[in-house]
Amino acid sequence: MEKYKIYSAGKFIETNQILDVKNPFNKEIFAQTYLAGEKEFEDSVNAAIEAKQLMKEMPSYKKYEILRYVSDAFYKEKERLATVLSMESGKPMRYAIGEIERSAQTVLIAAEESKRIPKEYFSLDWTAAGKGKEALVKHFPVGLVGAIAPFNFPLNLAMHKVAPAIAAGNTVILKPARSTPLSVLEFAKIIDQTDLPKGALSVLPADRVVGNKIVTDTRFDMLSFTGSPEVGWEMKRNAGKKKIALELGGNAGVIVSEKADIEKAVSKCLVGAYAYSGQVCIHVQRIYVQKDIFDFFVKKFIEGTKLLKQGNPLDSSTEISVMIDEQNAVRVESWVNEAVSGGAKVLFGGNRYGNYFEPTIITNTKPEMNVCFSEIFGPVVTIEKYETLENAVKMVNDSQYGLQAGIFSDSNKEINYAFENINVGGVISNDIPTFRVDHMPYGGVKNSGFGREGIKYTIQEMTEARLLVRDF
Amino acid sequence: MEKYKIYSAGKFIETNQILDVKNPFNKEIFAQTYLAGEKEFEDSVNAAIEAKQLMKEMPSYKKYEILRYVSDAFYKEKERLATVLSMESGKPMRYAIGEIERSAQTVLIAAEESKRIPKEYFSLDWTAAGKGKEALVKHFPVGLVGAIAPFNFPLNLAMHKVAPAIAAGNTVILKPARSTPLSVLEFAKIIDQTDLPKGALSVLPADRVVGNKIVTDTRFDMLSFTGSPEVGWEMKRNAGKKKIALELGGNAGVIVSEKADIEKAVSKCLVGAYAYSGQVCIHVQRIYVQKDIFDFFVKKFIEGTKLLKQGNPLDSSTEISVMIDEQNAVRVESWVNEAVSGGAKVLFGGNRYGNYFEPTIITNTKPEMNVCFSEIFGPVVTIEKYETLENAVKMVNDSQYGLQAGIFSDSNKEINYAFENINVGGVISNDIPTFRVDHMPYGGVKNSGFGREGIKYTIQEMTEARLLVRDF
Amino acid sequence: MEKYKIYSAGKFIETNQILDVKNPFNKEIFAQTYLAGEKEFEDSVNAAIEAKQLMKEMPSYKKYEILRYVSDAFYKEKERLATVLSMESGKPMRYAIGEIERSAQTVLIAAEESKRIPKEYFSLDWTAAGKGKEALVKHFPVGLVGAIAPFNFPLNLAMHKVAPAIAAGNTVILKPARSTPLSVLEFAKIIDQTDLPKGALSVLPADRVVGNKIVTDTRFDMLSFTGSPEVGWEMKRNAGKKKIALELGGNAGVIVSEKADIEKAVSKCLVGAYAYSGQVCIHVQRIYVQKDIFDFFVKKFIEGTKLLKQGNPLDSSTEISVMIDEQNAVRVESWVNEAVSGGAKVLFGGNRYGNYFEPTIITNTKPEMNVCFSEIFGPVVTIEKYETLENAVKMVNDSQYGLQAGIFSDSNKEINYAFENINVGGVISNDIPTFRVDHMPYGGVKNSGFGREGIKYTIQEMTEARLLVRDF
Amino acid sequence: MEKYKIYSAGKFIETNQILDVKNPFNKEIFAQTYLAGEKEFEDSVNAAIEAKQLMKEMPSYKKYEILRYVSDAFYKEKERLATVLSMESGKPMRYAIGEIERSAQTVLIAAEESKRIPKEYFSLDWTAAGKGKEALVKHFPVGLVGAIAPFNFPLNLAMHKVAPAIAAGNTVILKPARSTPLSVLEFAKIIDQTDLPKGALSVLPADRVVGNKIVTDTRFDMLSFTGSPEVGWEMKRNAGKKKIALELGGNAGVIVSEKADIEKAVSKCLVGAYAYSGQVCIHVQRIYVQKDIFDFFVKKFIEGTKLLKQGNPLDSSTEISVMIDEQNAVRVESWVNEAVSGGAKVLFGGNRYGNYFEPTIITNTKPEMNVCFSEIFGPVVTIEKYETLENAVKMVNDSQYGLQAGIFSDSNKEINYAFENINVGGVISNDIPTFRVDHMPYGGVKNSGFGREGIKYTIQEMTEARLLVRDF
């Protein structure tokens, strides 16, 4: 069985706490790594602080070389890395390979953006007081970034924190989810071969005690967290003076207008609803279909759902497989049951087998049911009918979350109305809310988070503006 | 009868060549001014060169004060200035007042943009050769701008050259159209009350000999011309090393899809077709209507045309009046006759009375007829039917011009197709191609011109980028 | 005695709690206003929430008109408003007039920026997944902004919150300092004459209970606070999910190199040290002079200090006058005494007379003394000698604060070294750290704050980015 | 002997006109290629026009892949390509390798910028007329670009035209200098292996007849020329309506202030003066040294010149070698002789041996001598003394050219004065005017050219802005 050392203060080390890594599909422990304790945490923080000055002064061509090396390596080792990722997360290979490719792209974008960190220059002579003066604004690295990443995109969501942190000239300590520590340790092995100063990055699988330290320790200059709202908002309260970025959950809604290409809407929504068993922040959870096309849409959607290929994630033809663990599958089951008790109707699926939950379609729901109101993070979708677009937008907005939403329609007016009135971080027109490419701004409002990711946006958040007033 | 002195080298002066200014509606000479000769031209050029350094060094708050004073004065004296403009150009008061307001806005935008001339600042360390170096790019005034303005928007199109020239720190010599010299001389009186260095601006009504000097004289650093293509392109050939901006003609096409709000399309097109008797570069000259709605559109359009109120431009209810002179009205008449001989059908109007030409609707035209192919610059519109959008776009593109075009449609796909495929400077969706607000980029491709106006775009063209490489 | 009604939910009202406004110079109560209670707070919040939609949809030309009206009125009523401001704050008229002018400029900038709120548009086809897609990012108003302003620039620092809030399309509830409520109530009277929707702005003098509600009430979408670090950082902790901007204190340091224009440095530092008795966040508190020119600098600085004209703030020749209250003067006195006990030497001044504290120069200080370490907010300056620039920069950085710093030097290398290494929000070269024009980014690091003001930066912070993914 | 086919309309072909390629060092013909005639020209143009639509619609990830493939290949085959380049141009290997690396970087930048072609989006509601409207500006490829490249940087200066042309979505026909056709034909072989549509690029060595067609043929939408002023300005006159970019010559001046690091100035100037025997547009031709340090500078400069290693370009230790041909060496010799006859003094060198010209230092020159006034394009430098900076700037400006200039000084005021007052495209502080990295804007004023290169600037010039007005 492979043993992965953790990456602390520029060294691959073992600790006295072993962490077993289980394959969610067959429940076998297929690898081991270690949990960082107090000592490893301190060593990593000290090394990171030591490396700050080197990182701050690193020219952009050096940052580019380091990040490009990682990106190229991801492409080259795509199959192998995807297998590791699939095994630790239960993610079907087709999606695991997609994640490695996206991670390579994420890191490449960071490489390119490291050369383009925006600087401002403008005249100050708007009044006599500023005559002969000009202003330069540069963005300096904040210093030490604490990054806490989730299990569902164990590599790419970590790269969305680490790569821009490096591009911005920061040092970073990354804590992966305990269930999925391996793909980021593979990344650590790759970047260790570059000129990145030792200690500038540590990758520390750890328990919540260490996690809390990242939040409260004043030696961290920024905290970037992706995870649940409860944990995230409490972090904001306890983060002290440090900057904070939170990417929390969602219960994405999508509107299908009668002016849409309906076949396209169906096939896109099938992916958004079931990819990685819905364990995606921007999983399609709520579909609102205009009344005239509702029946047709539902019929086609059920047909599509039936065709999904279930199986072992490592099988390249598998489209849907197990959830990350049984606890989550049980939670999803209970929410579905709660909905049914409240009058909702299951149009397809609804059953659980261990940690596998069937792709499931529900209708006749009420907004306050957990399947609508909370983030289901499972392969469950609700479909409801709407009369007017205004009404559909209200239903999408009737949520504690505000991450992304979708609208299928060819009407200019409808798309614009949706954009102006849906209170989310992103409105995706003629595609599912699950759409994300890695250079676009990404993040939510309301309970869904605080701040935006998307490389150049993350770089912005991971730097501090400093003004120079020049006088001649 | 009022006599307007011309503005040369910071002084209001008379010359030995009197220029009569005629009211196109009643043909009466209602004012006089002077033509600049060789001496005034030389004095103006010398004074402008003298003033270059002062203009280059002027802080932005000074430029703002000067331009804002002018803008405020235009608003305050709106009625009076509109009357002058209406009398020299025959433009109905409702449009003349609109032009004064737009001129005030144009100058205000320039005032604001003078503080915001873009500067770039970026790192040069993309390779080891640039390590430790940073780049600053500032835009310096070109120096002396020659501006040649047309009769149809005698104030606002002049302001589109003069105001950004000043905002950019240039000196400028303005030659108005000989038929409409008064509103810019009113402007000269206003700006003469400010701190603008004497000689930084001259306003010289002049004959073509002086006009040619502006083109060929190497002391001018830039030439900005609005007028006819024949003259414009010959200027480009003869301009030597100076920069050049050309705003030439157009024969704007507009597409009305069955997915449009048709009533809105009709009422907008009526304005675009007949405002100031079509003597507008972005006058609606060619309307292409989807076949299913063609008859309805034509019926409504004829109805609307019938309701137009004809009369004295100074009467505030007048909607259409005379053309600038009889020579132009005769030309329009001959083109209409040519079209009829070739098989076209006049649906409404078609008659000339002196320099008044009736609002006229033609159909069954061929692309090579002058009413389609050339810029009609009169109150004439052609309406044709189309089958597919691809076809409509081809018809719009089948033209020597490429200034602006319009499309009425609510379809996202249709608007985008039009935008991607119509080869013009601007595509206006759900409005007429005649739409222009003064901070948007404006200018054409093909025979329609070279470069873009729109204050900040003009400022860009009226400056020269200079790089400073900084080393630490 | 004049009575000022407070401005709640679009109405000027009285409450049952009278607030006396005292002239700090002669301690006379010269005006009265009212404290808002629970009811006024609720009314204001409800009206603000009601007005959100109108504000969000307001076109930029409307915002421009409203804000420009205010700016123009400030210029027109400069003398009268300055007198009110001087009387409530004890600020000498020369500086009070300057503040009114700057307030007019602040509001004008906001007017202009309301038209220029940045929008992004970019292609998404960086990978095959984004083929045919483009992104639009617009910034939507956050909603309701709570603004808490300080006494020292009672009008301009309030305008730095209110004007961009309106420019961004927000509603706002402003709580001025209790000692200086009048100038912002004058502002309320002016803006009430515009088309600003009633309720979009309330101005509520209030006690700390109401202040705390602004922090904790979840109906506020953002909190913008200028005041002390202790209060500010506690607010951050309690602000919940809302956005927050903190402008806290400073103890600005300035470096005078032997390569500087020393006479200029002296005369600038005199203003920075004593203007408004040092009750300025970017007051020059610590001067570090290169050893070879130290004695000369000190001699000249003492000479300049002796010449300061003390007197009634309302007298236009007065340069220095009383502090805001005796409590603060006593605090300054105690810090000076503490420094002297610790070995520091008073080179000039050091005495208190009621709430007047003499302009005071100290040397031989230690970094941990309050006169160095804390924000003195009084007319006291320390001057110390340095050997190397590295050393001087270390001394400037040896501080809990990081707002602005200054360096006087003609050396390119020295200025750049200072800029790259002084950990503050702004480095002012060849001028005092007290330099601020109202469109530049302004704000601090470390204990000095969180976020940046400066109209367009504030607008950025008072809006939420929303992405539209377009598909064709 | 290797035979290189030319690249016309997507095919490698032979023609009936053989072009011998000579090694300037040993005068041996070491390779052959072909001149394009009328037929190849027509085929290439037709194929390019055919490919326009494919290029316009190519997503950015495709352009990135194509260009990145080229960039990677340049790095991989660096030694081989440098040898080809060195043999055709006589450029010493150390510089030839540098050119291949820079070419790789140039193409990589274009790859990256193809994803970042700027788009603008802004509100139009600055007046009531624009209410509810927003503007999008996109930059569309101009179409077919004619590129004419010089001998002195046969690969990199060609890449500065071809790479951004492709990045912008254009098709391009490249005519290299007749003496140096090989390195770009090597490039053609590389890019032919990518997905670039056949015909989108042709590389045509040709005589002047074909060159003239590129200028006058109306099927070309843009002309980009690097070469001599006489040819360039005549092209501008004859280019008709097409866009034009001219990179012409220079006679770069550099100022060495007494506030400079003199040793650094000497060693940098040695490179600027003699690299590739001064056959560089931004070759250091004129050095102005402050009087107090003049003698020291000259002494050191002569010492440095003596140490230059002369030899075969293919020898990696060679620093200076032959000129491109004897005709040019003779011209340089005659200019030096002319200067000496006029009173100038040769401090070092001055002799010609075939096409080798010694590194040569001259003083006591007059501005009107060819060694000062004209572009020498040979290893000759003039050094003169100055009293005041104002005077030095005047001497730099006293030139028909305005490409780049340098100033060595640590004074902030001096650098700024030079930047504000030297009329050139770029002022390089604390380095030689010969400094160029490939993403910076590059180009001249006065006789030195028209427009700017530097990838994103070239992309800007190779596109046409088109506005979409959106209405909701």
Side-chain angles (χ1 to χ4, degrees), chain A residues 97-361:
Chain A
I97 283 179
E99 182 171 349
I100 306 300
E101 289 172 341
R102 280 185 58 192
S103 301
Q105 172 71 0
T106 298
V107 177
L108 179 65
I109 297 166
E112 294 175 5
E113 292 299 326
S114 73
K115 302 186 282 191
R116 293 172 173 87
I117 299 179
K119 292 157 186 58
E120 283 183 88
Y121 200 94
F122 48 93
S123 73
L124 290 174
D125 63 358
W126 294 20
T127 57
K131 195 176 167 185
K133 292 189 198 287
E134 293 176 344
L136 164 63
V137 180
K138 281 175 65 174
H139 293 260
F140 289 80
V142 292
L144 172 53
V145 173
I148 301 179
F151 80 85
N152 61 336
F153 287 86
L155 188 59
N156 195 32
L157 291 186
M159 290 306 98
H160 266 290
K161 300 180 191 309
V162 173
I166 290 171
N170 290 299
T171 59
V172 58
I173 293 177
L174 169 68
K175 179 185 144 351
R178 258 173 301 175
S179 48
T180 56
L182 301 188
S183 34
V184 288
L185 288 170
E186 292 284 357
F187 155 70
K189 291 189 223 166
I190 292 167
I191 203 167
D192 187 61
Q193 291 153 31
T194 70
D195 285 347
L196 187 77
K198 297 305 167 198
L201 170 73
S202 290
V203 179
L204 305 182
D207 58 20
R208 189 156 289 191
V209 176
V210 166
N212 283 343
K213 283 192 191 204
I214 294 178
V215 178
T216 55
D217 193 316
T218 56
R219 293 172 298 177
F220 285 81
D221 301 291
M222 178 158 178
L223 169 66
S224 176
F225 171 75
T226 299
S228 74
E230 302 73 40
V231 176
W233 293 113
E234 182 62 15
M235 283 177 175
K236 179 166 186 285
R237 182 169 173 81
N238 297 322
K241 293 168 191 171
K242 64 174 66 73
K243 297 180 93 175
I244 188 161
L246 301 174
E247 297 297 332
L248 310 175
N251 59 351
V254 58
I255 294 167
V256 184
S257 155
E258 77 279 17
K259 293 177 184 165
D261 175 339
I262 303 171
E263 307 273 358
K264 178 184 170 190
V266 169
S267 74
K268 291 273 185 182
C269 285
L270 283 165
V271 175
Y274 304 127
Y276 194 35
S277 294
Q279 297 169 118
V280 175
C281 297
I282 38 180
H283 152 251
V284 168
Q285 184 167 340
R286 301 177 294 150
I287 305 178
Y288 301 99
V289 184
Q290 199 270 347
K291 63 177 173 16
D292 299 340
I293 57 167
F294 181 80
D295 291 343
F296 179 75
F297 182 93
V298 169
K299 178 166 157 287
K300 288 282 176 187
F301 195 82
I302 293 172
E303 283 170 21
T305 303
K306 283 180 182 161
L307 294 174
L308 284 180
K309 183 153 179 333
Q310 181 209 337
N312 186 334
L314 288 177
D315 177 345
S316 71
S317 67
T318 294
E319 290 172 309
I320 189 161
S321 185
V322 294
M323 291 180 61
I324 189 74
D325 54 31
E326 188 154 340
Q327 181 186 343
N328 272 288
V330 167
R331 178 186 50 74
V332 170
E333 182 180 38
S334 74
W335 290 9
V336 170
N337 290 343
E338 176 219 59
V340 171
S341 319
K345 197 172 142 198
V346 172
L347 296 176
F348 187 84
N351 302 303
R352 181 178 69 80
Y353 307 93
N355 66 338
Y356 175 70
F357 199 88
E358 287 184 325
T360 296
I361 310 169

Side-chain angles (χ1 to χ4, degrees), chain C residues 244-311:
Chain C
I244 187 161
L246 301 175
E247 296 297 331
L248 310 175
N251 59 351
V254 58
I255 293 167
V256 184
S257 155
E258 77 279 18
K259 293 177 184 163
D261 176 339
I262 303 171
E263 307 273 358
K264 179 184 169 188
V266 169
S267 75
K268 289 275 186 180
C269 284
L270 283 165
V271 174
Y274 304 127
Y276 193 36
S277 294
Q279 297 169 118
V280 175
C281 298
I282 37 179
H283 152 251
V284 169
Q285 184 166 341
R286 300 176 295 150
I287 306 178
Y288 300 100
V289 184
Q290 198 270 347
K291 65 178 171 14
D292 299 340
I293 57 166
F294 181 80
D295 292 342
F296 180 75
F297 182 93
V298 169
K299 180 167 157 284
K300 287 284 175 184
F301 196 82
I302 294 173
E303 282 171 22
T305 304
K306 283 180 182 161
L307 294 174
L308 285 180
K309 184 154 179 330
Q310 180 209 336

Side-chain angles (χ1 to χ4, degrees), chain B residues 133 236 241 420 447 466, chain D residues 56 240-241 419 431 447:
Chain B
K133 293 188 197 287
K236 178 165 186 285
K241 294 169 191 169
E420 293 286 326
N447 261 357
R466 188 181 301 160
Chain D
K56 183 189 161 212
K241 294 169 190 169
F419 179 51
D431 211 327
N447 260 358

Side-chain angles (χ1 to χ4, degrees), chain C residues 380-444:
Chain C
V380 176
V381 65
T382 68
I383 312 187
E384 306 295 345
K385 193 178 293 189
Y386 77 81
E387 301 243 343
T388 65
L389 184 65
E390 288 67 21
N391 194 239
V393 164
K394 270 207 195 84
M395 289 193 285
V396 171
N397 276 337
D398 187 4
S399 159
Q400 63 175 309
Y401 293 108
L403 192 44
Q404 293 198 153
I407 175 167
F408 286 89
S409 173
D410 183 44
S411 164
N412 191 43
K413 277 188 188 308
E414 287 196 345
I415 293 169
N416 188 58
Y417 182 86
F419 179 50
E420 293 286 326
N421 291 287
I422 300 183
N423 191 14
V424 290
V427 173
I428 316 297
S429 70
N430 291 307
D431 210 326
I432 42 177
T434 323
F435 177 81
R436 182 180 184 188
V437 291
D438 295 285
H439 69 290
M440 81 188 205
Y442 177 78

Side-chain angles (χ1 to χ4, degrees), chain A residues 124 145 147 154 224 281 292 321 369 371 384 398 425 440 446 456:
Chain A
L124 290 174
V145 173
S224 176
C281 297
D292 299 340
S321 185
M369 290 173 174
V371 292
E384 306 294 346
D398 187 4
M440 82 188 205
K446 298 198 284 190
K456 82 169 189 178

Side-chain angles (χ1 to χ4, degrees), chain C residues 178-466:
Chain C
R178 258 174 301 175
S179 47
T180 56
L182 301 188
S183 33
V184 288
L185 287 170
E186 292 284 356
F187 155 69
K189 290 189 221 166
I190 291 167
I191 204 168
D192 187 61
Q193 290 154 30
T194 71
D195 284 346
L196 187 77
K198 296 306 167 197
L201 170 74
S202 289
V203 179
L204 304 182
D207 58 21
R208 188 156 288 191
V209 176
V210 167
N212 284 342
K213 285 193 189 202
I214 294 177
V215 177
T216 55
D217 192 316
T218 58
R219 294 172 297 177
F220 284 82
D221 301 290
M222 177 159 177
L223 168 65
S224 176
F225 171 74
T226 298
S228 75
E230 302 74 39
V231 176
W233 291 113
E234 182 61 16
M235 282 177 175
K236 180 166 185 285
R237 184 172 171 78
N238 296 322
K241 294 168 190 170
K242 63 174 69 71
K243 297 180 91 175
I244 187 161
L246 301 175
E247 296 297 331
L248 310 175
N251 59 351
V254 58
I255 293 167
V256 184
S257 155
E258 77 279 18
K259 293 177 184 163
D261 176 339
I262 303 171
E263 307 273 358
K264 179 184 169 188
V266 169
S267 75
K268 289 275 186 180
C269 284
L270 283 165
V271 174
Y274 304 127
Y276 193 36
S277 294
Q279 297 169 118
V280 175
C281 298
I282 37 179
H283 152 251
V284 169
Q285 184 166 341
R286 300 176 295 150
I287 306 178
Y288 300 100
V289 184
Q290 198 270 347
K291 65 178 171 14
D292 299 340
I293 57 166
F294 181 80
D295 292 342
F296 180 75
F297 182 93
V298 169
K299 180 167 157 284
K300 287 284 175 184
F301 196 82
I302 294 173
E303 282 171 22
T305 304
K306 283 180 182 161
L307 294 174
L308 285 180
K309 184 154 179 330
Q310 180 209 336
N312 186 333
L314 289 176
D315 178 345
S316 71
S317 67
T318 293
E319 290 174 307
I320 189 162
S321 185
V322 294
M323 290 179 62
I324 189 73
D325 55 33
E326 189 154 338
Q327 182 186 342
N328 273 289
V330 167
R331 178 186 50 75
V332 170
E333 183 180 37
S334 74
W335 290 9
V336 170
N337 289 343
E338 176 220 57
V340 171
S341 319
K345 198 172 141 198
V346 171
L347 296 176
F348 187 85
N351 302 302
R352 181 180 67 80
Y353 307 92
N355 66 339
Y356 175 69
F357 199 87
E358 285 183 327
T360 296
I361 309 168
I362 314 182
T363 191
N364 275 359
T365 59
K366 305 200 180 79
E368 65 275 15
M369 291 173 172
N370 268 311
V371 291
C372 298
F373 179 76
S374 299
E375 179 176 33
I376 193 142
F377 231 63
V380 176
V381 65
T382 68
I383 312 187
E384 306 295 345
K385 193 178 293 189
Y386 77 81
E387 301 243 343
T388 65
L389 184 65
E390 288 67 21
N391 194 239
V393 164
K394 270 207 195 84
M395 289 193 285
V396 171
N397 276 337
D398 187 4
S399 159
Q400 63 175 309
Y401 293 108
L403 192 44
Q404 293 198 153
I407 175 167
F408 286 89
S409 173
D410 183 44
S411 164
N412 191 43
K413 277 188 188 308
E414 287 196 345
I415 293 169
N416 188 58
Y417 182 86
F419 179 50
E420 293 286 326
N421 291 287
I422 300 183
N423 191 14
V424 290
V427 173
I428 316 297
S429 70
N430 291 307
D431 210 326
I432 42 177
T434 323
F435 177 81
R436 182 180 184 188
V437 291
D438 295 285
H439 69 290
M440 81 188 205
Y442 177 78
V445 296
K446 298 198 283 188
N447 261 357
S448 290
F450 198 80
R452 292 292 179 279
E453 292 198 335
I455 310 304
K456 83 168 188 178
Y457 304 92
T458 312
I459 287 175
Q460 174 93 6
E461 303 213 349
M462 288 183 175
T463 53
E464 190 78 49
R466 189 181 301 160

